[in-house]
Amino acid sequence: MASAETPRGAAADAAPIPLWLLAEVTYRCPLQCAYCSNPIAFARYRDELETQEWISVLEQARAMGAVQLGISGGEPLLRKDLETIVGRARELGFYSNLLTSGVGLDEDRLGRLKQAGLDHIQISFQADRSGPSDEIAGGHHFQTKERMAQAIKAHDYPMVFNVVMHRHNLDRVDGILQLAWDLGADYVELANTQYHGWAYHNRAALMPTREQIRRAEETTQRWREKAGNRMRIYFVGSDYYDETAKPCMNGWGTTFLGVAPDGRAMPCHGAAELPIELPSVREEPLKAIWEDSHAFNVFRGHDWQPEPCRSCDLLQSCHGGCRCQALLLAGDAWATDPVCPKSPVHDRVLRAVEVADERRVEVPLVMRSVKNSRSLS
Ligand code: FES
């Protein structure tokens, strides 16, 4: 395995534009979702950027050409300065999207966010009723989410209804889509779990059978026919089951720039788990981070890629897949993504799917909590 210091893959061409800025403003969260994509060590991120530091990130990113701002977490509503951040984003001309659980929202806050210029809200659900929802997210939040989804529509926001799908809720797709329909969702994203972070830790408990996925897709197709354009439904497959490497982040360092709560800049959501040092917006200008840092160049372009990727016809479309998945499954962040059938360790993915198919005894979930974060990291 190559070391983190190896300066492989420096960009040959001028750096592209970070069109999509993701501000992970806090990792604090009232929920405990067992599939959370935050780093396992999220409890260490206590030193959050101050308001002015976030505003500086926004200003720098916009000057570099960023147009789309996602504000996520953790639960971004826990930041009391959210309206200030949104207001500045609007002044700068960003299209802003709040990714929230809805917990911590109320009518007043929705009004203030609207006034500040928030464009779009994505609200996450776990299931179509409280029991299974509480089981996967911890706590009793289902009714609050329902109320907040209604309020989001009452405030005239375009609403994405997002559900991470897995073994415990794939059989509930019909009820989930009915709920989204009743709440007036404009878009539904049924995002099958990608096994990174907490989801990887809970992989045995979360991986569904292939039959569950087949049935869920069939139900989704029926709903698409019924819902037409009133509610657009996306069923995003899990890499393990699709057996194709996806162009993670649209290609490393091409489009996506994430900033963690403490200011570390990330070329992908999972970069904190990779053996690379992440530069901080507290120490360097964003432009230098994007264009010159080791972290943003290490997997940029295709020069760093090993065989079989290097001579594969699909390289320009999949970019070798996901680095985080390569590290988790092949033990080497530089390896071909093992979900690709050409990977020398693809059998590890096939075996995981087989085990999920054969599983008869359910495995307990490890919830995303501060206590578990500390004991696991
Ligand atoms: Fe890190 Fe895919 S999540 S490269």
Side-chain angles (χ1 to χ4, degrees):
M1 174 176 169
S3 78
E5 290 77 37
T6 312
R8 290 205 240 161
D13 304 314
I17 295 170
L19 292 171
W20 176 22
L21 175 69
L22 182 71
E24 294 188 337
V25 290
T26 182
Y27 284 153
R28 291 173 287 139
C29 189
L31 270 59
Q32 305 189 321
C33 301
Y35 52 71
C36 182
S37 63
N38 287 167
I40 296 275
F42 76 86
R44 291 200 199 134
Y45 290 70
R46 274 168 304 190
D47 186 16
E48 294 176 6
L49 294 185
E50 306 283 346
T51 315
Q52 280 314 315
E53 291 177 304
W54 277 117
I55 286 177
S56 169
V57 168
L58 262 47
E59 290 171 349
Q60 294 179 64
R62 190 73 187 99
M64 291 159 68
V67 288
Q68 176 107 9
L69 171 68
I71 306 174
S72 78
E75 176 47 70
L77 292 165
L78 289 172
R79 289 282 305 216
K80 294 197 170 56
D81 55 0
L82 190 57
E83 290 82 338
T84 309
I85 293 170
V86 167
R88 187 64 185 133
R90 165 51 68 99
E91 285 167 5
L92 289 165
F94 273 107
Y95 184 86
S96 58
N97 184 13
L98 178 68
L99 290 83
T100 177
S101 67
V103 178
L105 201 54
D106 57 35
E107 293 276 354
D108 274 2
R109 196 124 199 238
L110 268 172
R112 291 202 301 275
L113 287 166
K114 186 93 192 174
Q115 213 174 3
L118 182 66
D119 292 298
H120 200 120
I121 299 184
Q122 173 176 312
I123 183 166
S124 63
F125 276 75
Q126 282 69 36
D128 55 335
R129 60 183 182 81
S130 54
S133 175
D134 299 348
E135 182 207 351
I136 195 79
H140 306 290
H141 302 296
F142 181 76
Q143 272 83 21
T144 308
K145 284 168 172 283
E146 267 189 316
R147 271 202 318 280
M148 285 308 107
Q150 284 158 350
I152 287 166
K153 285 313 296 174
H155 280 80
D156 220 17
Y157 282 104
M159 180 170 79
V160 177
F161 182 102
N162 168 275
V163 190
V164 175
M165 306 304 298
H166 44 76
R167 192 175 187 94
H168 298 257
N169 64 4
L170 272 161
D171 296 335
R172 313 189 70 87
V173 164
D174 192 46
I176 287 170
L177 289 170
Q178 184 67 54
L179 176 65
W181 179 263
D182 294 344
L183 291 171
D186 301 283
Y187 304 93
V188 180
E189 187 182 50
L190 302 173
N192 280 278
T193 306
Q194 306 297 355
Y195 297 95
H196 308 162
W198 290 88
Y200 184 76
H201 195 75
N202 280 303
R203 196 176 76 164
L206 292 173
M207 278 186 73
T209 63
R210 279 176 279 214
E211 179 57 17
Q212 280 184 292
I213 295 185
R214 192 196 61 73
R215 284 197 307 259
E217 277 191 287
E218 216 172 76
T219 308
T220 303
Q221 191 48 38
R222 273 206 310 280
W223 265 94
R224 282 196 186 115
E225 283 153 26
K226 167 177 167 179
N229 285 334
R230 195 204 110 177
M231 182 172 90
R232 305 293 288 270
I233 309 169
Y234 301 92
F235 189 89
V236 184
S238 167
D239 292 4
Y240 277 45
Y241 295 79
D242 288 355
E243 286 203 53
T244 48
K246 303 220 178 71
C248 203
M249 302 295 115
N250 202 33
W252 190 271
T254 63
T255 321
F256 175 87
L257 198 171
V259 180
D262 65 354
R264 272 181 272 180
M266 304 178 293
C268 80
H269 304 285
E273 313 273 5
L274 291 170
I276 52 176
E277 190 156 339
L278 297 177
S280 170
V281 300
R282 282 182 162 140
E283 285 154 21
E284 288 176 70
L286 207 56
K287 189 166 163 31
I289 289 174
W290 175 257
E291 291 180 0
D292 304 327
S293 69
H294 173 74
F296 278 79
N297 281 299
V298 64
F299 299 123
R300 202 176 239 154
H302 296 129
D303 294 350
W304 61 272
Q305 250 142 354
E307 291 293 355
C309 296
R310 191 180 276 272
S311 52
C312 178
D313 291 347
L314 298 176
L315 181 58
Q316 296 300 329
S317 56
C318 80
H319 305 295
C322 174
R323 297 304 89 220
C324 299
Q325 211 148 250
L327 177 66
L328 286 169
L329 292 171
D332 180 359
W334 278 260
T336 296
D337 185 340
V339 302
C340 173
K342 292 184 183 173
S343 157
V345 293
H346 182 57
D347 59 318
R348 293 180 193 173
V349 176
L350 297 179
R351 183 68 197 130
V353 174
E354 265 167 36
V355 169
D357 270 344
E358 287 159 11
R359 185 175 305 291
R360 297 288 169 265
V361 181
E362 297 304 332
V363 175
L365 295 164
V366 177
M367 307 307 279
R368 174 220 197 260
S369 66
V370 171
K371 186 165 162 264
N372 287 337
S373 170
R374 291 204 176 113
S375 66
L376 292 169
S377 56

